[in-house]
Amino acid sequence: HYNIDVEDQGVGFDTGELDRRQASGGFGLFSVREQIGRLGGTVEIASAPGRGTRVNLRVPIEDSEPSDA
């Protein structure tokens, strides 16, 4: 797996708002989740107002050995 962690100590946000924002036209993190999901990966988001945000992206790696054709 590729494993990417992004963390900040910013203002944070209520993760419960993600679904409501997507329903009202905000597609940023929703789109990231959807695209990573299509690759068989996962996106985990941990955040709270005043506590910063941590995002973990995991994407499987295909073993693609060159073939002797």
Side-chain angles (χ1 to χ4, degrees):
H1 279 86
Y2 283 109
N3 190 27
I4 301 169
D5 292 311
V6 179
E7 187 171 351
D8 70 30
Q9 300 300 316
V11 298
F13 59 92
D14 178 359
T15 57
E17 291 288 320
L18 290 176
D19 292 332
R20 287 188 286 276
R21 285 185 186 191
Q22 183 261 321
S24 66
F27 288 100
L29 289 172
F30 175 78
S31 179
V32 170
R33 280 182 170 167
E34 193 169 85
Q35 296 301 320
I36 296 293
R38 286 183 183 159
L39 296 171
T42 60
V43 176
E44 296 174 8
I45 301 168
S47 187
R51 302 195 62 150
T53 302
R54 186 180 70 241
V55 179
N56 176 265
L57 307 166
R58 289 190 182 115
V59 180
I61 301 170
E62 277 192 35
D63 186 14
S64 56
E65 291 291 322
S67 63
D68 295 339

